[in-house]
Amino acid sequence: MNKTELLSQLSEAELQSLMAAALRDMVKKEWLTPDELEKEYGISINAQNRMRMERRIPYSKIGKYVRYKRTDIERWLEEHKIETAAGL
């Protein structure tokens, strides 16, 4: 079954749901929760907690809520990149 046949069998609600999910994946949030950071970048919650206590990872805190700005995390990861011997 090709994509066109498969899509024609979906209800309008199912198609809208799939399109909304695809759009959410395409539009990246600017601010991430600890869970989202773990899912997207693979940094465990425990590692995040430890690095925050040691002031090694950029974050913001409003009340009890911790958030990570995507651009800060990407810059932080680049700053901590280890080059290979070949410079790749």
Side-chain angles (χ1 to χ4, degrees):
M1 183 178 299
N2 67 33
K3 291 178 191 176
T4 305
E5 292 170 339
L6 183 61
L7 287 174
S8 68
Q9 292 181 358
L10 293 174
S11 71
E12 186 174 334
E14 291 170 321
L15 190 55
Q16 287 179 346
S17 176
L18 286 172
M19 289 172 52
L23 186 58
R24 276 193 305 274
D25 289 344
M26 289 172 43
V27 177
K28 293 186 175 183
K29 290 173 53 177
E30 181 177 5
W31 291 93
L32 304 170
T33 66
D35 286 335
E36 291 167 337
L37 185 72
E38 181 178 36
K39 288 176 188 168
E40 288 193 39
Y41 292 92
I43 303 170
S44 74
I45 300 290
N46 288 336
Q48 292 175 43
N49 292 338
R50 187 176 59 256
M51 288 188 284
R52 281 198 316 271
M53 287 191 307
E54 296 169 353
R55 305 242 181 227
R56 292 177 36 214
I57 190 170
Y59 71 98
S60 294
K61 188 168 184 181
I62 300 172
K64 65 179 181 178
Y65 299 103
V66 172
R67 296 294 181 264
Y68 300 95
K69 191 171 185 180
R70 182 182 302 278
T71 54
D72 290 346
I73 294 300
E74 289 175 354
R75 185 178 323 108
W76 176 76
L77 288 169
E78 280 295 319
E79 290 170 357
H80 290 84
K81 180 171 64 173
I82 307 296
E83 295 290 341
T84 63
L88 300 175

